[in-house]
Amino acid sequence: MRTEQTHSHRPVALVTGVGRTVGIGAGIAERLAASGWDVAHSHWTPYDTRMSWGVEEGAVEAVGALLAGHGARHLAVPADLTDPAAPAELFDRVEAGLGPVTALVMSHAESVDSGLLDTTVESFDRHFAVNARASWLLIREFGLRFTGAFGTGRIVALTSDHTVGNLPYGASKGALDRITRAAARELAHLGVTANVVDPGPTDTGWMNEDLRADLVAHTPLGRLGTPRDAAHLVDFLCSPQGQWINGQLLQSSGGLKS
């Protein structure tokens, strides 16, 4: 899975949630491309439109250029993960464009701040549809379709431990954790590993200055997490050297003190 491999020997990774060049998904996609993977990446522009950061024009094309710069074949696929049919359709397009998927990395998320008293039913349902149900369906498609050599398959999900003032996001991410870790046992017959990574607070443009200062003050290394930090861990988990790590929820937060 290294860069010196030819295209015919590069495995295919599917990375969800790659809508912005500054996001964790984009960092993971680039790191995997540099490590010898061909990369399919999904995005959903209407989600970014609803969020405070807005749409980053040209982001999908920019990510594709980064991946190509590492010698990777790449494929961008829009996917509305509130639609139960989207995961199967996504796999269909990736298999047709790049080939069978060896690694599934789920970095997509619905993330709207609200608490116990002000969360709407619509928002709650949307969070669970995207963060939990779609993740289950993606894992199911991966398990039904995987035909790779025993021990080569990888599933990695990005999670969060944030709950206070963030009810639907935190609760649905908790469900994601359980679904993903179940795959470590239920897909054992395929030799597929499944792990969850909590990257801690990662500055991708959503933090205000007060929050940045507070998090830096409570982190031993005196800085915030970056997409590259998460990407290096995901890259290791997807590598042959990461095979023995399975069914785990891994904290990668620089020692942040709560």
Side-chain angles (χ1 to χ4, degrees), residues 150-174:
F150 187 91
T152 61
R154 300 287 187 271
I155 297 170
V156 183
L158 277 293
T159 192
S160 171
D161 61 1
H162 197 199
T163 53
V164 178
N166 216 350
L167 167 69
Y169 177 70
S172 58
K173 283 290 191 176

Side-chain angles (χ1 to χ4, degrees), residues 48-169:
D48 292 312
T49 302
R50 289 191 289 110
M51 303 306 289
S52 60
W53 52 76
V55 176
E56 181 186 350
E57 296 296 337
V60 173
E61 294 77 12
V63 169
L66 286 173
L67 303 182
H70 293 293
R73 294 183 303 146
H74 58 92
L75 177 68
V77 183
D80 178 7
L81 294 178
T82 63
D83 181 356
E89 293 170 356
L90 178 55
F91 268 84
D92 286 343
R93 291 192 59 180
V94 174
E95 289 177 346
L98 297 180
V101 175
T102 298
L104 169 64
V105 181
M106 297 178 291
S107 61
H108 64 274
E110 175 77 13
S111 176
V112 178
D113 293 345
S114 61
L116 289 165
L117 302 182
D118 61 338
T119 294
T120 66
V121 171
E122 185 275 335
S123 178
F124 188 90
D125 288 347
R126 182 191 297 269
H127 279 79
F128 272 83
V130 174
N131 298 344
R133 186 182 69 193
S135 299
W136 157 52
L137 292 172
L138 285 163
I139 290 172
R140 186 173 75 173
E141 288 301 318
F142 182 83
L144 290 171
R145 298 171 186 241
F146 182 76
T147 58
F150 187 91
T152 61
R154 300 287 187 271
I155 297 170
V156 183
L158 277 293
T159 192
S160 171
D161 61 1
H162 197 199
T163 53
V164 178
N166 216 350
L167 167 69
Y169 177 70

Side-chain angles (χ1 to χ4, degrees), residues 7 9 11 18 25 41 70 72 94 110 135 167 174-175 177 181 198 220:
H7 285 320
H9 293 95
V18 187
H41 47 102
H70 293 293
V94 174
E110 175 77 13
S135 299
L167 167 69
D177 299 350
R181 295 174 74 185
D198 181 353

Side-chain angles (χ1 to χ4, degrees), residues 145-251:
R145 298 171 186 241
F146 182 76
T147 58
F150 187 91
T152 61
R154 300 287 187 271
I155 297 170
V156 183
L158 277 293
T159 192
S160 171
D161 61 1
H162 197 199
T163 53
V164 178
N166 216 350
L167 167 69
Y169 177 70
S172 58
K173 283 290 191 176
L176 163 70
D177 299 350
R178 297 299 182 92
I179 293 167
T180 304
R181 295 174 74 185
R185 291 297 188 94
E186 294 197 26
L187 301 183
H189 62 291
L190 300 173
V192 169
T193 66
N195 293 288
V196 184
V197 170
D198 181 353
T202 303
D203 188 8
T204 58
W206 58 273
M207 298 182 187
N208 60 41
E209 289 303 321
D210 289 341
L211 179 58
R212 287 191 186 95
D214 181 67
L215 291 170
V216 167
H218 288 85
T219 303
L221 292 175
R223 69 170 177 85
L224 295 171
T226 69
R228 181 173 294 182
D229 294 320
H232 281 299
L233 178 53
V234 173
D235 181 38
F236 174 74
L237 291 173
C238 289
S239 74
Q241 292 76 22
Q243 183 188 54
W244 196 237
I245 301 172
N246 193 19
Q248 303 302 307
L249 197 167
L250 303 170
Q251 297 287 337

